[in-house]
Amino acid sequence: MPESDPAATALLTVECQNGVVGEESALPELAKEARDSGTLERVAALAVAARAAGVQVLHAVAERRPDGLGASTNARLFRAAGRLPVRQLTGSRAVEVAAPITVTEGDLVVRRLHGLSPMAGTDLDALLRNLGVRTLVVTGVSSNIAIPNTVFDAVNLGYRVVVPADAIAGVPASCTAEVIRNSLALVAEITTTETLLARWTPAR
């Protein structure tokens, strides 16, 4: 990963919420992969190290109103989500950031009611620009849909994007490697959690 100013860098966790990757997930296969692969633990470690290094941490959460007002319905995924036993309802435990990832007072939480990407139709872009962020480190789920959408949107908006390959997850597990190799590597800097932790952890 090229040298960058921590003050101009942000770490973004995508959909790392109880209703997606928690023990009571609406998507148990994805939740199992995110946990069994160690992805959530690595995201948690990155968040701790980022804060210590002066890197802003943001959490992108997908949710919907109980009445569904304003929710997207133009894709099979959205319609299916409305029928799942666990719904990502505003104010519910399902939309809280999942352990072991922590949210501290200095973190920003960005919520969206529609679409596939936290960069589209939310405050995320404006917040990043107001913070002076030029480099965005993207973590979380899923490598099938939300992560690629976030990366592409961020690149289109002029950000330099970094993806720690072992801090994103999708289903099946092989999908993540293929998406990284054939798509994300063409537009983002691909790195590892270990590399970022070494950069963000002061030498003793």
Side-chain angles (χ1 to χ4, degrees):
M1 176 180 173
E3 293 288 344
S4 59
D5 178 7
T9 303
L11 172 74
L12 178 68
T13 76
V14 178
E15 295 185 25
C16 292
Q17 57 201 76
N18 287 321
V20 176
V21 296
E23 294 181 0
E24 298 178 357
S25 170
L27 304 165
E29 186 180 0
L30 176 59
K32 185 176 188 303
E33 173 60 26
R35 291 185 173 278
D36 290 354
S37 66
T39 297
L40 294 187
E41 286 76 10
R42 286 187 282 272
V43 174
L46 284 169
V48 171
R51 296 182 193 111
V55 171
Q56 179 66 51
V57 177
L58 302 96
H59 307 276
V61 173
E63 59 183 48
R64 60 188 290 136
R65 289 166 49 110
D67 59 9
L69 191 64
S72 300
T73 59
N74 59 330
R76 187 174 69 175
L77 174 67
F78 301 132
R79 295 189 292 273
R83 299 191 297 269
L84 291 173
V86 178
R87 300 176 67 199
Q88 317 299 320
L89 298 181
T90 299
S92 71
R93 174 174 161 73
V95 297
E96 295 176 0
V97 174
I101 303 166
T102 56
V103 181
T104 68
E105 185 177 355
D107 294 0
L108 293 171
V109 179
V110 178
R111 303 180 183 278
R112 78 177 195 274
L113 292 172
H114 64 87
L116 299 170
S117 164
M119 295 294 297
T122 71
D123 295 332
L124 182 54
D125 181 39
L127 291 173
L128 293 173
R129 293 187 188 281
N130 288 346
L131 290 164
V133 170
R134 300 303 306 153
T135 297
L136 186 64
V137 179
V138 177
T139 66
V141 297
S142 73
S143 59
N144 306 79
I145 296 175
I147 295 297
N149 271 269
T150 304
V151 171
F152 297 148
D153 283 352
V155 170
N156 283 331
L157 289 169
Y159 294 96
R160 182 165 66 93
V161 179
V162 176
V163 178
D166 54 354
I168 64 172
V171 288
S174 58
C175 173
T176 301
E178 291 299 323
V179 168
I180 291 171
R181 180 182 306 110
N182 297 309
S183 296
L184 301 187
L186 302 178
V187 296
E189 178 84 19
I190 306 302
T191 186
T192 65
T193 296
E194 182 180 9
T195 298
L196 287 175
L197 290 177
R199 181 172 298 280
W200 290 344
T201 303
R204 295 183 182 277

